[in-house]
Amino acid sequence: MSKKTTNALLLVTGAAIGAAAGILFAPEKGRETRNWLSYRLEKYRDTLSDLIEQLMADRDGTLSSARTEGQRVIQDAKDKAEKLLGDVDSLINEINSRKEI
């Protein structure tokens, strides 16, 4: 993955987590905001899961000369996506715990 792509992914990830945290702790319509955020995070989790599956399926079609580099890129993307899934799950759990309050 190029440095620009990595930086862009990190920027988008940071912005998404920051926006989610800002919405989560916003003083307006708490229950509705948490429900909306929970729904969106579940959708993002599903999208990331699909992306991981697609990356794993696509890795078998790479050419032998680029195979090693492709596998490294795929593994890096998979690791980052799994970390994002963990972050999303943590946020969903936090949202659900606040719903009970």
Side-chain angles (χ1 to χ4, degrees):
M1 205 178 302
S2 73
K3 190 168 186 147
K4 285 184 179 181
T5 304
T6 302
N7 288 341
L9 181 61
L10 290 173
L11 177 66
V12 170
T13 302
I17 291 172
I23 291 171
L24 182 63
F25 295 108
E28 57 187 71
K29 299 180 192 174
R31 179 167 290 201
E32 291 175 19
T33 301
R34 288 189 293 272
N35 287 339
W36 175 82
L37 185 57
S38 178
Y39 171 78
R40 296 301 303 168
L41 288 172
E42 287 175 11
K43 287 291 190 182
Y44 289 135
R45 181 180 59 192
D46 294 341
T47 301
L48 286 171
S49 294
D50 292 343
L51 176 63
I52 289 171
E53 290 175 17
Q54 182 181 9
L55 287 171
M56 295 306 291
D58 288 347
R59 82 176 167 154
D60 294 332
T62 59
L63 299 173
S64 62
S65 63
R67 189 171 187 95
T68 303
E69 181 64 20
Q71 287 176 341
R72 186 189 63 77
V73 169
I74 289 168
Q75 187 61 44
D76 288 347
K78 181 182 175 194
D79 292 343
K80 289 177 183 177
E82 286 175 349
K83 183 182 181 319
L84 285 172
L85 283 173
D87 292 344
V88 167
D89 284 336
S90 296
L91 284 171
I92 288 172
N93 290 336
E94 185 175 336
I95 290 168
N96 288 336
S97 69
R98 290 184 180 269
K99 285 182 188 177
E100 295 170 2
I101 296 177

